[in-house]
Amino acid sequence: MKCTTYKSHRVFTADTMGCCSGRCTLIFICTLQLVLALERQVFDFLGYQWAPILANFFHIIIVILGLFGTIQYRPRYIVVYTVWAAIWVAWNVFIICFYLEVGGLSKDSDLLTFNISAHHSWWSEHGPGCVRREMPQAPGVHTTESHSYITVMGCFVDYQYIEVMHSGAQILVALLGFVYACYVVSAITEEEDSFDFIGGFDPFPLYHVNEKSSHLLLKPMYPST
């Protein structure tokens, strides 16, 4: 009976810690991060931005790991998610500096494509209000490759600011995830420590003590002759 009591105590407190604390909030944040990461991955694929594509791929894997750890009460997985959240913030700060050309960086460089291609952000030609026109080469110009010049006009917002807003949203959500992940890890750890202190993981000594006492009480008494 003691063992059953302690197990039910653990389940009750764990469920109470679940939705009454930051656990459900962290689940919502991880889900939101997955949606934002998949949206960003699509546009990075369209723009052939290979460095962001790889970063988004690892980000999606770690967020899924953190989501699994939050649902299954696995603090180690949540710790991995917490460390990655800090790295993800640093990566998005770099992206902001890249597009704002801070610290000698240039948004016109091929750094994000690993110098494989000369592609730039998909938003540079398909931003809100942008009109894309292709201008063929002049008849007297002969080159080894046939390229057409592309002009973009009428954009409501420059593409670098769109990328900055994307990275800013990623930073905000990652910071929220970092804070709530630390809280959830602390809550789960305290719950496990209190459960160990009660003796929930070692019910057998109590069971044997009760069995022994019951055996003593039920032992028949024979009159001496």
Side-chain angles (χ1 to χ4, degrees):
M1 295 298 295
K2 288 289 185 179
C3 179
T4 304
T5 302
Y6 289 139
K7 286 183 178 179
S8 62
H9 171 75
R10 170 132 196 228
V11 172
F12 174 77
T13 53
D15 291 339
T16 303
M17 188 275 296
C19 288
C20 294
S21 66
R23 179 170 166 268
C24 286
T25 305
L26 182 58
I27 292 175
F28 172 76
I29 290 173
C30 289
T31 305
L32 179 61
Q33 280 186 305
L34 285 177
V35 173
L36 294 176
L38 290 174
E39 179 265 342
R40 193 176 189 181
Q41 185 78 311
V42 170
F43 292 112
D44 286 337
F45 262 115
L46 293 175
Y48 301 98
Q49 304 295 294
W50 302 116
I53 287 171
L54 290 177
N56 294 333
F57 176 75
F58 287 112
H59 178 61
I60 291 172
I61 292 177
I62 300 299
V63 171
I64 292 175
L65 186 66
L67 183 61
F68 175 79
T70 305
I71 296 174
Q72 297 293 326
Y73 298 94
R74 303 292 180 88
R76 292 183 180 179
Y77 295 164
I78 305 177
V79 169
V80 174
Y81 165 81
T82 305
V83 174
W84 174 257
I87 298 174
W88 186 244
V89 169
W91 166 255
N92 282 277
V93 169
F94 167 76
I95 294 296
I96 292 176
C97 293
F98 176 81
Y99 282 106
L100 295 181
E101 298 184 338
V102 177
L105 297 172
S106 175
K107 65 179 183 296
D108 297 324
S109 66
D110 299 329
L111 182 62
L112 298 183
T113 59
F114 297 132
N115 295 322
I116 297 176
S117 63
H119 291 88
H120 297 288
S121 172
W122 183 83
W123 297 103
S124 61
E125 299 178 6
H126 305 85
C130 292
V131 178
R132 182 174 178 269
R133 295 180 179 178
E134 295 186 4
M135 301 177 60
Q137 292 180 347
V141 178
H142 299 283
T143 58
T144 56
E145 298 180 357
S146 59
H147 291 287
S148 59
Y149 297 95
I150 299 174
T151 59
V152 180
M153 300 179 297
C155 297
F156 297 147
V157 182
D158 291 337
Y159 75 94
Q160 63 266 27
Y161 298 118
I162 297 177
E163 294 287 355
V164 168
M165 287 188 289
H166 272 87
S167 295
Q170 294 283 345
I171 290 174
L172 178 61
V173 179
L175 289 176
L176 290 175
F178 179 86
V179 172
Y180 278 97
C182 292
Y183 172 75
V184 171
V185 169
S186 176
I188 294 177
T189 304
E190 290 178 1
E191 183 68 23
E192 290 180 350
D193 292 342
S194 63
F195 189 58
D196 291 339
F197 177 76
I198 293 173
F201 288 109
D202 192 16
F204 296 102
L206 294 174
Y207 175 76
H208 289 306
V209 169
N210 293 332
E211 185 181 13
K212 183 178 181 181
S213 61
S214 301
H215 176 71
L216 292 176
L217 292 175
L218 298 176
K219 184 177 180 180
M221 302 295 292
Y222 299 98
S224 59
T225 55

